[in-house]
Amino acid sequence: MIGTAMDLSEDDVIQIIKYLDESSFSELRLEIGGLKIVVIKRGSQAFIEEADSSAKTQPELTDHSGSLTAQDSPVPPTQPAAQDTPETPPDIEKEIVEDGRFSITSPMLGTFYKAPKPGEPPFVEVGAMVEQDATVCIIEVMKLFSTIKAERRGRIARICAEDGQLVEYRQVLFLLDPPTD
Amino acid sequence: MTPRISRVFVANRGEIAVRIIRACQELGIETVLAASEPDRDSLPAQMADRVVCIGPAPSVRSYLSVGTIVTAALGTGATAIHPGYGFLAEQPELAQACAENGLIFIGPKAEHIRTMGDKLAARKTVQELGVPVVPGSGLISDFAQVTPMSEEVGFPILLKAAAGGGGKGMKTVYRAEDLATAYGEAAAEARSAFGDDRLYMESFIPNARHIEVQILGDRFGNRVHLLERDCSVQRRYQKLVEEAPARVVSSEVRDQLCQAALRIAESIQYENAGTIEFILDQDKDQFYFLEMNTRIQVEHPVTEMITGVDLVLEQIRVANGDAISFSQQQVSATGHAIECRINAELPDADFRPSPGRITHWSPPEGAGIRVDTHCFAGYTVPPFYDSLLAKLIVIGDTRMEAIKRLQYALANFQVSGIDTTIPFLSSLVERGDFIAGQLNTRWLEEVVRAKGDNQV
């Protein structure tokens, strides 16, 4: 599966993150050749904190198996049990992994509305900076409307759900870039 | 079948979801499955054309959420919802929401569910038809009535929830001294389980058999019965072994039961599949109406085996607006079928649930053997739902042949990684009293108790 840094593909990285996400571990440090990846779990979503991609030097093929050190920290009781995310399309995962983005997922199944009412301007647009308590969308279940907040400061990078369409529980609705300041 | 139903939303999980999807596949109907988070990789999820994640593990936030289910069905272009059994199958709210949102509910009308869901009202309706009901009382409107009512009914009595059913929320009281405590507990349990703490009493029948009749109705006024099932092997009112036909019942009594069941279904113009449950007092040789279940039942396969009818298929046909595909005359029983419910439980530890990862799963195969399941090697049985792993059904020309086949099948049902009730069932069906068919609804608990005593 994972051999040398040359063999480490995008899919491998996504796989690593998935394994960490599903496990009870909270941190993974992987060193293969000159490549070092540190993945730390925050909340229920793993993301790359630090990737030393400058180590594109040729790894030695003869020796070296990747060394894997995982640190097992007790999962605090308030954290949900490790759950895998619903089918997140690979391009969204890629954006999370590669660009360090984070996502806003739907807390329920329902119909996604990007604006307060039809015809009104949407709550957020791509490029907008949102505060923690900003409303980003509405999810409707049988005439019951729930306002969804950003919960975290960031800049809207992508709107992943379609207005008026069904979204599933924990489906990715928005991708955001962490604030640069 | 002229299709009005093009896509079915399966609002259930486990083996019944597999069963429903199979029937849809046979009819060339697309399926969308509702799956809670832990069920997203389940067998029915792999079989369905599409899976929608409806919520987290807790049923109340997923399978029991009417709004979520209906929204998911509408949002995926489904034209019908099959509720399975349990969960929302007997909540009139789902049937009602379907009617209000242009979705076909694969089951009876909301009013049927409501009428028969109120156990007291159902008793009254049935009594007025001249069908005997289990001797008992009307609604206990306040605690002061409990003592005089119990004297009228006579001990031992069974306190039951008016909004209950499925063997839940019942308390047996043997002595007047225990009435007060039992009443308080029963009311609290009923309130917590059904949101309704109204209680009534029934005479507790010590030497009883549970005999039920399968019925089917369509919108053209056709109503048929598909004979009876004997579900007397129960533990805490949950069925474990079911048989069809009921050998203990004479052809006269069979006729009376089936006709009574039809009369009840007729009186409310019942549509789709349902079951009318009776208690047979073996001491008095008298049968009484117990309750009506307005859904497909877990044990429907034994009826399918002896009659050759595909009940779930008929449910979908009827919901689609078609007539039942056979006449009453065409209903006949060939052979004897027995079903065992196989649960992820450890009988030696008071049937403690045993969820976990199945490492080896090898069901028996062969002529006359049917296994309805959602399990497979590598599947992790989640701890959030009921413990049913599989239904093992056998058919033989005679009851003895069926039993032999059952013994063989259980001996060849290999499961590793979790505890199951297979070894327990294996020894149960070797017992002389089971083979002789000499039992009642208290039999299994007495066997379990005796085993427990022997182990001390």
Side-chain angles (χ1 to χ4, degrees):
Chain A
M1 185 190 75
I2 298 174
T4 62
M6 267 183 69
D7 297 337
L8 204 67
S9 71
E10 195 172 271
D11 285 339
D12 286 336
V13 177
I14 290 172
Q15 202 62 46
I16 289 167
I17 292 189
K18 268 204 165 117
Y19 286 150
L20 180 67
D21 213 9
E22 288 168 30
S23 75
S24 59
F25 298 103
S26 58
E27 188 177 328
L28 180 141
R29 291 170 191 273
L30 173 63
E31 295 174 18
I32 295 180
L35 178 68
K36 178 180 165 191
I37 296 176
V38 174
V39 188
I40 297 175
K41 205 181 334 195
R42 293 270 150 83
S44 59
Q45 191 87 336
F47 62 96
I48 292 188
E49 179 164 274
E50 177 191 329
D52 189 7
S53 56
S54 64
K56 290 223 199 299
T57 52
Q58 292 290 320
E60 281 165 353
L61 298 170
T62 48
D63 67 358
H64 211 86
S65 45
S67 76
L68 210 68
T69 12
Q71 284 170 350
D72 190 7
S73 328
V75 177
T78 47
Q79 253 188 359
Q83 293 163 337
D84 44 329
T85 51
E87 287 112 44
T88 307
D91 53 342
I92 289 184
E93 283 199 33
K94 194 169 136 189
E95 284 185 51
I96 294 173
V97 165
E98 284 192 343
D99 306 331
R101 293 185 162 152
F102 65 94
S103 63
I104 296 174
T105 60
S106 185
M108 64 187 73
L109 177 145
T111 310
F112 172 86
Y113 293 114
K114 65 178 183 186
K117 284 198 181 80
E120 286 188 15
F123 288 106
V124 295
E125 307 237 29
V126 172
M129 185 57 133
V130 296
E131 299 301 315
Q132 207 171 319
D133 60 352
T135 297
V136 289
C137 68
I138 286 174
I139 306 283
E140 182 227 334
V141 184
M142 299 301 292
K143 308 296 175 221
L144 271 159
F145 297 85
S146 297
T147 347
I148 310 301
K149 306 279 182 188
E151 308 268 338
R152 221 186 117 167
R153 207 167 162 257
R155 189 175 301 279
I156 306 279
R158 190 125 89 83
I159 301 173
C160 308
E162 271 189 61
D163 192 43
Q165 292 302 303
L166 182 74
V167 291
E168 301 180 29
Y169 175 69
R170 299 242 283 151
Q171 182 171 331
V172 174
L173 303 175
F174 300 93
L175 279 183
L176 291 86
D177 285 313
T180 44
D181 50 3
Chain B
M1 183 176 109
T2 44
R4 277 169 66 210
I5 296 176
S6 52
R7 188 175 293 158
V8 168
F9 188 84
V10 182
N12 213 301
R13 60 175 304 282
E15 69 88 18
I16 195 63
V18 172
R19 177 76 184 87
I20 297 164
I21 293 171
R22 279 218 179 97
C24 289
Q25 285 172 345
E26 257 200 61
L27 290 167
I29 299 175
E30 284 178 11
T31 50
V32 181
L33 178 77
S36 66
E37 250 190 327
D39 284 338
R40 273 179 299 115
D41 298 323
S42 65
L43 181 59
Q46 292 167 43
M47 291 169 66
D49 292 304
R50 186 175 163 182
V51 187
V52 204
C53 186
I54 56 168
S59 304
V60 70
R61 289 183 60 194
S62 48
Y63 298 105
L64 290 173
S65 175
V66 176
T68 302
I69 299 282
V70 174
T71 303
L74 290 169
T76 53
T79 36
I81 295 184
H82 197 307
Y85 52 67
F87 291 136
L88 294 171
E90 286 197 82
Q91 299 308 317
E93 290 78 22
L94 180 58
Q96 187 70 38
C98 284
E100 288 165 1
N101 286 275
L103 287 164
I104 297 170
F105 182 74
I106 303 175
K109 299 201 167 96
E111 65 194 69
H112 297 144
I113 300 176
R114 216 168 267 129
T115 308
M116 287 303 168
D118 184 333
K119 302 305 171 188
L120 269 176
R123 275 171 61 92
K124 192 155 168 289
T125 306
V126 168
Q127 217 166 359
E128 281 162 11
L129 290 170
V131 176
V133 302
V134 180
S137 74
L139 181 68
I140 306 169
S141 39
D142 61 71
F143 181 67
Q145 292 195 315
V146 171
T147 308
M149 274 179 164
S150 69
E151 275 158 22
E152 237 192 82
V153 172
F155 285 94
I157 61 158
L158 203 51
L159 280 170
K160 299 176 87 166
K168 301 204 158 82
M170 294 165 43
K171 285 226 179 298
T172 317
V173 189
Y174 290 93
R175 310 171 309 163
E177 304 91 273
D178 304 323
L179 257 181
T181 322
Y183 180 81
E185 283 175 6
E189 280 175 31
R191 200 177 310 124
S192 128
F194 314 112
D196 182 344
D197 61 7
R198 292 178 306 139
L199 301 174
Y200 67 104
M201 275 180 212
E202 275 180 5
S203 181
F204 176 77
I205 296 167
N207 189 15
R209 283 230 183 207
H210 176 116
I211 313 283
E212 58 188 38
V213 177
Q214 177 71 53
I215 57 111
L216 197 55
D218 66 28
R219 69 183 179 104
F220 300 100
N222 299 309
R223 263 164 282 274
V224 298
H225 70 76
L226 288 107
L227 304 167
E228 79 288 357
R229 296 184 284 260
D230 186 334
C231 308
S232 304
V233 180
Q234 302 179 6
R235 181 182 168 266
R236 302 197 181 161
Y237 302 108
Q238 298 301 299
K239 299 163 185 168
L240 238 71
V241 181
E242 304 106 341
E243 309 193 25
R247 289 287 167 215
V248 74
V249 156
S250 68
S251 57
E252 265 164 357
V253 173
R254 170 175 296 115
D255 210 51
Q256 283 173 6
L257 287 167
C258 293
Q259 290 311 312
L262 272 181
R263 216 150 73 236
I264 294 166
E266 205 64 62
S267 74
I268 55 169
Q269 308 261 280
Y270 190 78
E271 286 178 33
N272 214 284
T275 296
I276 301 186
E277 302 192 329
F278 297 94
I279 287 286
L280 178 66
D281 186 336
Q282 294 187 106
D283 292 336
K284 299 194 177 139
D285 205 24
Q286 170 70 55
F287 72 84
Y288 305 105
F289 169 80
L290 184 64
E291 64 185 47
M292 178 174 184
N293 294 324
T294 54
R295 60 170 190 268
I296 191 79
Q297 303 232 162
V298 176
E299 60 269 23
H300 72 271
V302 290
T303 297
E304 293 188 326
M305 299 289 266
I306 60 165
T307 60
V309 171
D310 185 327
L311 283 167
V312 177
L313 209 106
E314 290 297 322
Q315 277 193 296
I316 301 170
R317 289 179 49 88
V318 162
N320 193 58
D322 299 325
I324 296 168
S325 70
F326 55 90
S327 68
Q328 184 66 76
Q329 248 126 337
Q330 292 171 305
V331 175
S332 67
T334 306
H336 189 93
I338 308 178
E339 173 186 279
C340 281
R341 296 194 197 186
I342 297 178
N343 295 318
E345 288 169 357
L346 188 53
D348 287 343
D350 199 32
F351 294 82
R352 164 174 53 80
S354 169
R357 190 164 173 274
I358 297 174
T359 52
H360 182 74
W361 179 266
S362 183
E365 288 177 5
I369 296 175
R370 167 178 164 177
V371 177
D372 281 20
T373 186
H374 60 291
C375 295
F376 51 90
Y379 174 62
T380 300
V381 179
F384 314 107
Y385 311 110
D386 68 47
S387 59
L388 182 65
L389 297 168
K391 289 155 20 185
L392 169 60
I393 308 118
V394 298
I395 186 163
D397 291 340
T398 62
R399 184 168 181 268
M400 200 55 232
E401 208 185 270
I403 291 176
K404 289 208 176 89
R405 194 158 273 161
L406 184 59
Q407 289 168 349
Y408 165 85
L410 285 164
N412 285 278
F413 202 145
Q414 282 150 13
V415 182
S416 307
I418 53 169
D419 296 309
T420 74
T421 50
I422 294 171
F424 171 79
L425 289 162
S426 257
S427 63
L428 201 71
V429 302
E430 305 267 341
R431 293 177 60 100
D433 41 7
F434 176 80
I435 294 170
Q438 279 156 5
L439 49 96
N440 57 36
T441 50
R442 292 183 309 146
W443 174 77
L444 181 62
E445 289 199 11
E446 277 163 14
V447 167
V448 170
R449 204 172 303 131
K451 268 196 182 175
D453 292 344
N454 284 340
Q455 278 170 359
V456 166

